[in-house]
Amino acid sequence: EAQVTQNPRYLITVTGKKLTVTCSQNMNHEYMSWYRQDPGLGLRQIYYSMNVEVTDKGDVPEGYKVSRKEKRNFPLILESPSPNQTSLYFCASSLRQGFAYEQYFGPGTRLTVT
Amino acid sequence: RKEVEQDPGPFNVPEGATVAFNCTYSNSASQSFFWYRQDCRKEPKLLMSVYSSGNEDGRFTAQLNRASQYISLLIRDSKLSDSATYLCVVSLTDSWGKLQFGAGTQVVVTP
């Protein structure tokens, strides 16, 4: 089944404790992206990657890191999480970069930082 | 000012009725437009792309008005299953890979 998976789905952590949210897709998509969703703000793009070893900042990259060593994986790293990073996070992928291609989203990761 | 703005609703719609709502965007250079559907904080899923000439997919009709910088979505013969949040998505021509999402319009279809 073609899908985007994220782990963990739910995470409660404390300020400053490094964490990684994994994202994997099995559709051989070139483009992958991370978003956060907060009430009243919609989805905001954190980072995106147009292909392996190519990443770029979205609208809200501060406090996050990403890497794209393999085509299928695009982990999101929070080196020192803070309470303002409490949010619902979505990973997405599409066949190619560019607006013409449908984005497929993972099921989301609900992160709480206390 | 937000790049993409939507009326958050909720739009309460009797089953079988028609509902329509708009999304405005601020960047006149925007080239591509989409409607995504999101159920109760689950992942968004593409509903339809919006073409310059307007397009229809079953009970759903999308329109683009470049002069006034808005897109619209109309749902005819509303079903209970249409209850969801509808996200407006806009892509900028000078930023490959970057999409701007609206905060969503909530539609509640009642029996």
Side-chain angles (χ1 to χ4, degrees):
Chain A
E1 181 191 354
Q3 60 183 351
V4 179
T5 57
Q6 294 179 228
N7 281 293
R9 296 287 313 279
Y10 302 90
L11 179 60
I12 301 173
T13 189
V14 296
T15 299
K17 185 177 181 181
K18 181 179 179 179
L19 66 91
T20 298
V21 184
T22 64
C23 172
S24 183
Q25 50 92 6
N26 63 0
M27 296 170 279
N28 201 36
H29 283 173
E30 288 185 359
Y31 176 86
M32 297 185 75
S33 181
W34 275 103
Y35 298 89
R36 61 178 288 174
Q37 186 174 34
D38 302 289
L41 295 179
L43 277 83
R44 293 178 293 168
Q45 194 171 42
I46 303 171
Y47 270 96
Y48 62 95
S49 170
M50 294 188 181
N51 214 324
V52 176
E53 302 291 2
V54 180
T55 63
D56 209 346
K57 296 177 181 178
D59 295 315
V60 288
E62 295 78 20
Y64 305 94
K65 287 175 60 177
V66 293
S67 67
R68 187 92 181 274
K69 293 183 170 57
E70 304 166 283
K71 199 171 189 178
R72 63 183 293 126
N73 295 324
F74 191 44
L76 180 70
I77 303 158
L78 285 72
E79 295 270 3
S80 183
S82 62
N84 64 12
Q85 292 178 298
T86 292
S87 187
L88 177 59
Y89 290 86
F90 288 104
C91 179
S93 74
S94 65
L95 183 62
R96 304 258 190 282
Q97 75 269 24
F99 42 73
Y101 296 94
E102 176 181 355
Q103 294 213 13
Y104 295 83
F105 286 82
T109 295
R110 193 172 294 278
L111 172 66
T112 301
V113 183
T114 61
Chain B
R1 183 186 171 191
K2 293 180 184 175
E3 302 258 6
V4 179
E5 296 209 54
Q6 296 184 249
D7 183 337
F11 285 67
N12 294 297
V13 186
E15 197 173 4
T18 296
V19 61
F21 42 89
N22 295 337
C23 161
T24 58
Y25 59 94
S26 61
N27 192 326
S28 59
S30 300
Q31 284 296 319
S32 294
F33 310 89
F34 310 88
W35 285 105
Y36 276 70
R37 171 193 169 127
Q38 186 175 28
D39 294 300
C40 200
R41 303 290 271 178
K42 293 190 176 180
E43 71 270 25
K45 293 182 179 178
L46 181 66
L47 178 68
M48 58 197 302
S49 302
V50 185
Y51 303 123
S52 296
S53 55
N55 49 302
E56 191 174 301
D57 184 0
R59 297 180 293 105
F60 297 84
T61 300
Q63 296 279 354
L64 167 62
N65 186 317
R66 284 194 185 275
S68 300
Q69 294 184 205
Y70 73 87
I71 64 173
S72 64
L73 182 66
L74 181 146
I75 307 173
R76 283 185 302 277
D77 187 23
S78 297
K79 312 291 185 191
L80 296 176
S81 58
D82 294 333
S83 296
T85 296
Y86 293 85
L87 307 178
C88 170
V89 185
V90 175
S91 178
L92 303 177
T93 55
D94 62 347
S95 299
W96 287 89
K98 292 185 72 171
L99 299 178
Q100 300 284 347
F101 283 77
T105 294
Q106 185 184 8
V107 172
V108 179
V109 182
T110 55

